């Protein structure tokens, strides 16, 4: 999207400068985004980045970009090796990578942290790092939907076998059933989008994330948002919830 900060410091690490420097918004937001797959968190992150002029700092994007990088840092090389072996990236490595990018957390433009923390260990380490940097969070936005609605959303997703365009059987159907509007390729359901696979993934996600929701809720930092409606409606709800939280702390 035009006018978005470059996020060079996030992608390239501590020695890289963002050029141009991120904008100085009138009000700086420092937020964490939580939400299960299929809830539309990535779309909200983009819309919020646009609206709040804050950088979208996603660990998933960071790892995907690092796969194409010629000279990754030792921590990044170790994280990519773990991913290649099909293992989870450890809390220590994830937080070492975030620590390498602490300048992004201190940035005058604020941030929307997405994909981290994923565990209580990461949440505690992030808390320590933010304290050390004397940076305080404004809120933790938690996008929520009942499991059955998520299964329905992801289960209806169809992907073009050729150009990878994504459709939905009811919410965003192609002009001709089963055929991509853009390249006429055949639309298929990805194996991990089958309802059973989605349920398994969601249950694992909930097991891992519920403790995080409890962690931030106890600290009175959690803002829950029902991720129902169009992206613009959910954005409106996010901004309203955020405003009412900020007016009451
Ligand atoms: P995402 O796009 O957030 O789903 O992240 C893509 C992949 O990157 C995940 O499946 C993990 O392998 C890895 N990853 C991203 N963030 C983290 C994290 N905080 N902790 C561990 N692994 C992560």
């Amino acid at each position: 999207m035009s006018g978005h900060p470059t996020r060079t410091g996030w992608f390239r690490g501590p020695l890289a400068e963002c050029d141009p420097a991120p904008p100085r918004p009138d009000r700086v937001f420092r937020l964490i985004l939580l939400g299960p797959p299929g809830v539309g968190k990535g779309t909200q992150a983009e819309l919020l980045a646009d609206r709040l002029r804050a950088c979208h700092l996603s660990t998933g994007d960071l790892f995907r970009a690092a796969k194409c990088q010629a000279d990754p840092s030792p921590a990044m090389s170790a994280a990519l090796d773990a991913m290649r072996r099909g293992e989870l990236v450890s809390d220590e490595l994830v937080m070492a990578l975030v620590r390498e990018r602490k300048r992004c957390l201190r940035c005058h433009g604020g941030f929307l942290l997405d994909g981290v923390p994923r565990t209580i260990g990461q949440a505690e380490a992030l808390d320590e790092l933010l304290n050390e940097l004397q940076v305080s969070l404004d809120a933790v936005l938690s996008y929520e939907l009942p499991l059955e609605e998520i299964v329905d959303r992801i289960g209806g997703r169809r992907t073009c076998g050729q150009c990878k365009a994504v459709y939905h059987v009811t919410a965003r159907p192609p002009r001709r059933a089963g055929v991509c509007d853009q390249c006429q390729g055949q639309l298929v359901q990805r194996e991990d989008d089958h309802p059973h696979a989605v349920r398994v993934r969601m249950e694992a996600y909930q097991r891992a994330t519920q403790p995080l929701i409890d962690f931030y809720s106890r600290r009175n930092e959690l803002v829950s948002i029902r991720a129902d409606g169009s992206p613009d409606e959910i954005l409106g709800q996010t901004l309203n919830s955020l405003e009412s939280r900020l007016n009451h702390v």
Side-chain angles (χ1 to χ4, degrees), residues 59-60 63-64 83 89 94 115-116 118 122:
T59 45
F63 289 136
R64 281 183 284 276
M83 286 170 76
V89 182
V94 171
V116 66
R118 255 179 165 84
Q122 292 179 17

Side-chain angles (χ1 to χ4, degrees), residues 178-189:
V179 180
C180 178
D181 291 348
Q182 291 167 33
C183 74
Q184 273 65 58
Q186 198 192 344
L187 302 186
V188 293
Q189 185 173 36

Side-chain angles (χ1 to χ4, degrees), residues 167-183:
Y167 297 83
H168 189 277
V169 286
T170 52
R172 190 166 178 266
R175 284 193 291 273
R176 256 180 66 205
V179 180
C180 178
D181 291 348
Q182 291 167 33
C183 74

